[in-house]
Amino acid sequence: MVSRVIPVDPFDLVIFGGTGDLARRKILPGLYRRFVAGQMPADSRIIGAARSEMDQAGYRQFVAEALREFIPDLRRAEGLSDFLGTIDYVAIDAQGDGGWAELAGRTRKDVVRAFYFSVAPALFGDLAERLHQHGITDASSRVVVEKPFGRDLATARDLNAVLARHFDETQIYRIDHYLGKETVQNLMAVRFANILFEPLWNSQFIDHVQITVAETVGVGGRGSYYDRSGAMRDMVQNHLMQLLCLIAMEPPYRFDPDAVRDEKLKVIRALDPVRPEDIVRGQYLANGQPGYLEDVENPASRTESYIALKVCISNWRWKGTPFYLRTGKRLRARTSEIAITFREPPHSIFEGEEGWKENVLVIRLQPNEGMNLRVMIKEPGPGGMRLTEVPLDMSFADALGETGADIPDAYERLIMDVIRGNQTLFMRGDEVEAAWAWADPVIEGWEARDDRPRGYDPGTSGPEDALMLLHRDGRRWREIRE
Ligand code: NAP
């Protein structure tokens, strides 16, 4: 099946931080792919903006190098020179006065104008202020902002206030790239486009939900940044929270940005405070390679590179169905999945129930995006009535006849949504604040208790105590594997 490509309207996209890591790795390659796919009109313009002194030709060269580095099959270089023809550059310091008049002259008023703030959040206010002062933005412009959106409720509120000074909420696109993943959007399609699941989608039929985002890498070169953040702030408050919301929310009345985000917000507001005994934090130990403390060069660090939490939602649909969340670095495999374990049938007609297991619906976000439903069947053969499990397994790539390379990267989809003016997959200001309002007391709680993360061996599934979090409830984590 070939996915349909509907071109967006011509646009001017200014990337503040156009020389940065995110621009090189994600934004520019994503735009190139959309250009080659025919979605980005050739009369659009991409204008890099950063302090580095460079002219247009220099930046085009810079972009070409980034594409060569981050798009493995660029050798064919399809459309590369046409794409580079859309690229421009203006040297600008977010906190200075030079370059703004030039930028004003290079952006057009009669096309969609979007401004990607791919810089440190501390610069958002300066950028918003100067764009406004120089008349570069108006009520139809859009701004895209990256994570981290604050490090607690107070800083998130400040950022919201800074942006609100010059932009209406309908102009602000807060990126959570998890929401741009194909399978994450499929969560909504699976839930709300099929009658099959929705009647069972509640605590009467679902025993518990596990959300796992496991990485094999350590904190790498981001040590000092990561150490100020940790798994709760870096992953749970945003990405895992978004996944939880999409699983737990009520059906929105329409697939409309505010209708969807209203429902997600209700879930966040219904989250119970997390009890101390329902939190396990860990740090990876040294094992041939440096451990967490060496990686962040802070022997006294209490920041977690792993966290597991039991989260409960106090509403009619979910009371009694815990959501277990876990994420960490240097774990056994790189995998992200949501596993929904259904309750046992109310009565079994099979004696002894040998081989019996619950139905589990697993939605794999990566690798190999797809779904898998564990169902019980009769074990073949004349040996009596014994049960065995079989997976109803669907890889989206196989089912849709696409190779992994054909599935657009999250950034490609999200940037095109910005141009289309569709905010459904972006976090609204109140949603981000509600997520921090839930996360803050959890973090403050362990800080007040002087909690120390448990060490765990790299290549495992995390600290032993995390196993107990489920054992205690008579449940087990799913194995972390690719
Ligand atoms: P980075 O590699 O440090 O790049 C920062 C960019 O900002 C550079 O282009 C830099 O260029 C520019 N810059 C710095 N100070 C400036 C100023 N005063 N005025 C104008 N431009 C300025 O950072 P990054 O990794 O690309 O991250 C950018 C943003 O995305 C951050 O908010 C980060 O948290 C977020 N993010 C990044 C990733 C990722 O994978 N990299 C993932 C998620 C979120 P000059 O030095 O030339 O000015």
Side-chain angles (χ1 to χ4, degrees), residues 25-308:
R25 279 193 313 112
K26 292 290 182 185
I27 305 173
L28 293 163
L31 284 161
Y32 168 70
R33 286 200 206 92
R34 291 298 93 206
F35 183 84
V36 173
Q39 195 162 22
M40 171 181 157
D43 55 344
S44 300
R45 281 189 213 145
I46 298 164
I47 306 171
R51 290 168 306 179
S52 307
E53 287 299 335
M54 240 189 275
D55 59 9
Q56 186 193 64
Y59 190 59
R60 285 183 178 179
Q61 169 99 23
F62 173 93
V63 173
E65 278 163 20
L67 299 184
R68 279 192 200 99
E69 187 174 349
F70 294 106
I71 303 184
D73 58 354
L74 191 74
R75 271 168 280 118
R76 284 180 285 152
E78 196 185 340
L80 180 59
S81 64
D82 289 342
F83 177 71
L84 293 176
T86 70
I87 303 280
D88 202 350
Y89 184 79
V90 179
I92 272 190
D93 183 339
Q95 296 174 308
D97 293 321
W100 293 98
E102 202 182 335
L103 183 62
R106 304 251 189 117
T107 45
R108 297 167 290 178
K109 301 270 184 222
D110 55 347
V111 296
V112 173
R113 262 169 308 154
F115 299 86
Y116 202 129
F117 290 4
S118 182
V119 293
L123 297 175
F124 290 179
D126 295 305
L127 289 176
E129 184 65 39
R130 282 171 176 72
L131 283 168
H132 175 76
Q133 256 174 23
H134 291 83
I136 302 171
T137 48
D138 61 21
S140 67
S141 319
R142 293 155 202 176
V143 283
V144 185
V145 296
E146 269 294 339
K147 86 166 201 184
F149 201 85
R151 54 172 281 110
D152 53 23
L153 177 58
T155 48
R157 275 192 179 141
D158 288 348
L159 284 178
N160 276 336
V162 156
L163 293 172
R165 246 178 256 147
H166 299 298
F167 300 103
D168 181 73
E169 182 61 36
T170 56
Q171 297 178 270
I172 304 170
Y173 291 73
R174 294 176 195 78
I175 290 220
D176 183 324
H177 72 273
Y178 261 63
L179 288 178
K181 287 180 185 282
E182 187 74 18
T183 328
V184 173
Q185 291 170 72
N186 242 322
L187 284 175
M188 283 186 277
V190 166
R191 282 196 59 192
F192 303 127
N194 298 288
I195 191 73
L196 206 61
F197 298 109
E198 203 48 31
L200 304 180
W201 214 256
N202 56 55
S203 60
Q204 193 184 342
F205 296 102
I206 295 181
D207 177 71
H208 73 282
V209 177
Q210 295 184 19
I211 302 180
T212 301
V213 177
E215 297 178 277
T216 50
V217 292
V219 296
R222 300 166 66 215
S224 60
Y225 160 78
Y226 191 91
D227 202 40
R228 277 179 270 120
S229 165
M232 182 72 178
R233 288 190 169 99
D234 194 46
M235 297 296 291
V236 176
Q237 181 274 343
N238 40 45
H239 305 320
L240 277 80
M241 177 64 70
Q242 289 296 322
L243 300 180
L244 179 145
C245 284
L246 294 176
I247 293 289
M249 72 184 187
E250 296 300 315
Y253 67 92
R254 198 157 12 105
F255 190 58
D256 158 276
D258 276 330
V260 171
R261 297 184 302 175
D262 285 347
E263 296 306 335
K264 289 198 291 173
L265 180 62
K266 286 185 208 161
V267 173
I268 303 174
R269 290 195 173 146
L271 295 176
D272 287 347
V274 185
R275 303 179 309 171
E277 61 270 34
D278 290 339
I279 307 167
V280 177
R281 299 190 312 131
Q283 284 176 342
Y284 57 83
L285 299 168
N287 182 0
Q289 289 172 300
Y292 179 80
L293 297 177
E294 293 92 69
D295 271 350
V296 300
E297 296 175 6
N298 177 8
S301 171
R302 302 241 170 119
T303 305
E304 73 287 352
S305 63
Y306 173 99
I307 188 165

Side-chain angles (χ1 to χ4, degrees), residues 379-399:
E379 193 178 286
M385 191 59 165
R386 282 202 298 272
L387 300 178
T388 188
E389 60 169 305
V390 286
L392 288 180
D393 204 350
M394 184 175 82
S395 145
F396 290 151
D398 292 349

